[in-house]
Amino acid sequence: MQRTLAYPHAATPATDPDCTCDALATPAAPPSLRIIARSRAQPPQRTYRGHLLLVDADAAARDFLGRFLQRRGYRVWGADNAAAARAMIAHRTPDLVLLDMGLPRHSSAHLLRALRQQRPTAALPIILISAATAAHDIRHGLALGADDYLTKPLELSLVEAHIEALLRRTARTYLALAEDLAAGFSAPSMNE
């Protein structure tokens, strides 16, 4: 089954997550305006587990972990540097970021600090991934603002468990906030 979608820009999983998209040159329209989307061989998953951004300079490690997480039901974007990660986050804020501390020129720490200082991403769940296993390295990563810290080599089932736990915690926090707002909760004033 094929369906024709007209986009003013190239389709990506971000614009149509339920389809794989190929730009085809056709006589009827220029390639930039005509996209043919094929339905996936298997039906889309009924449960949406979350949208993840995986930031790692090592393409092989990023692809391996990204494919594992996609098979487990997550939508995964990959970035190989801090600038690409910022651009992706500006386009669409993920549910969680997996950030490798091995990015060049300490850009992992700079990215983490920048995300924590900006209001739209201050509460974004972030898991640091690092080969550093010493207690002071883990404390430093958490002090930078990470919500969790995983050490390499990664055990894939533990990565999934940490992601699930952090997403559950985040969902509970947002649910409690929504319930408080619905109940008319207001922050205490300084006079009380």
Side-chain angles (χ1 to χ4, degrees):
M1 174 182 150
Q2 289 191 346
R3 36 186 191 133
T4 303
L5 304 172
Y7 290 114
H9 59 284
T12 66
T15 58
D16 192 2
D18 295 327
C19 295
T20 56
C21 301
D22 297 319
L24 299 178
T26 64
S32 62
L33 294 178
R34 185 126 171 113
I35 305 296
I36 303 296
R38 295 185 316 262
S39 296
R40 291 185 177 161
Q42 72 274 6
Q45 282 197 319
R46 298 201 186 275
T47 58
Y48 171 63
R49 296 187 70 190
H51 178 106
L52 309 177
L53 174 59
L54 177 55
V55 186
D56 193 336
D58 181 357
R62 187 178 63 245
D63 291 343
F64 180 76
L65 183 55
R67 275 190 290 241
F68 169 77
L69 293 169
Q70 284 175 336
R71 284 192 307 269
R72 304 304 292 168
Y74 294 98
R75 294 182 184 155
V76 180
W77 279 0
D80 61 353
N81 60 58
R86 283 186 181 146
M88 289 179 179
I89 291 170
H91 174 70
R92 176 170 183 219
T93 304
D95 297 317
L96 185 139
V97 175
L98 292 156
L99 176 60
D100 183 61
M101 284 301 289
L103 295 181
R105 297 183 309 268
H106 305 289
S107 60
S108 301
H110 295 300
L111 175 62
L112 182 53
R113 281 191 207 108
L115 292 174
R116 290 298 181 231
Q117 291 171 355
Q118 297 169 0
R119 185 177 175 99
T121 57
L124 180 64
I126 299 173
I127 298 176
L128 286 183
I129 299 173
S130 178
T133 60
H136 71 277
D137 292 321
I138 296 170
R139 275 194 307 273
H140 176 69
L142 294 172
L144 285 172
D147 297 292
D148 204 347
Y149 190 101
L150 296 172
T151 58
K152 293 180 181 180
L154 295 173
E155 173 61 43
L156 295 178
S157 62
L158 287 178
V159 173
E160 183 180 14
H162 280 260
I163 291 170
E164 287 175 0
L166 191 49
L167 288 176
R168 268 194 318 269
R169 237 179 300 152
T170 304
R172 282 194 304 262
T173 301
Y174 285 127
L175 181 60
L177 178 61
E179 288 172 351
D180 288 345
L181 290 173
F185 172 79
S186 62
S189 69
M190 297 300 286
N191 298 333
E192 292 180 13

